[in-house]
Amino acid sequence: MTKNSTFDGRPHPSDGNAQRKDRRKSQKINKRQSSTALLKTVRGLESYIKVAKKETQLLNEETKSLANALEFAAHEERELKKDLAQRKRALADLQDDLFLEELEDYVLSSLG
C-alpha cells in the first residue's frame, strides 16, 4: 500500500482533489500566459496601427503637396503656351512687315 491509497489499492479520494487542484492551477497559469500573450499582441497591433496612421497622414500630405505642384506646373504650362503663341504672332507680323518693306524697296528700285 502506498501512502495515498486505500487498503484495497485504489487511489485515496484526497489524491483526486490534489490532481484537480494541480489541473486548475495549470489552467490558471495557461490562461494567464495566454492573456499575457494576447495583451502583447494587442499592444503590438495598436502600435502598428498608430504608425500606419501616421504614415498614411504623411502620405496624404505629400499627395496634396504633389497635387498642388502639378496644378501649378499645369498653370505655368498654359501661361508659357500663351506667351509662345503671342511671340509666334509677333514674329509673323515682323516677317510680314519685313516682306512688305522689301517688296516696297524692290518696287521703288525697279521704278526708279
Side-chain angles (χ1 to χ4, degrees):
M1 255 181 18
T2 64
K3 180 178 174 187
N4 288 331
S5 62
T6 58
F7 65 94
D8 59 354
R10 289 180 291 141
H12 193 273
S14 65
D15 239 9
N17 287 340
Q19 287 175 350
R20 261 192 310 282
K21 284 181 184 178
D22 286 347
R23 200 174 327 116
R24 282 189 199 135
K25 190 175 181 179
S26 304
Q27 287 173 346
K28 284 182 182 179
I29 290 171
N30 288 340
K31 284 180 183 178
R32 200 172 304 125
Q33 288 172 343
S34 296
S35 174
T36 302
L38 283 173
L39 185 60
K40 286 180 181 179
T41 302
V42 167
R43 286 183 180 155
L45 289 173
E46 287 172 340
S47 174
Y48 177 78
I49 288 169
K50 191 175 186 180
V51 169
K53 282 182 180 179
K54 185 66 177 173
E55 287 178 354
T56 301
Q57 180 183 5
L58 291 173
L59 287 171
N60 285 341
E61 289 172 6
E62 187 175 343
T63 301
K64 286 178 186 176
S65 175
L66 289 172
N68 288 340
L70 183 61
E71 185 178 328
F72 178 76
H75 175 73
E76 285 295 308
E77 180 184 17
R78 288 189 298 274
E79 292 298 316
L80 289 171
K81 283 181 178 179
K82 286 179 189 176
D83 186 46
L84 179 61
Q86 285 177 343
R87 289 174 188 248
K88 282 182 178 179
R89 285 192 297 275
L91 178 61
D93 289 345
L94 285 174
Q95 287 174 335
D96 288 345
D97 289 346
L98 183 61
F99 175 74
L100 290 175
E101 285 178 15
E102 288 176 355
L103 183 61
E104 185 181 341
D105 289 344
Y106 175 74
V107 169
L108 288 176
S109 67
S110 51
L111 290 177

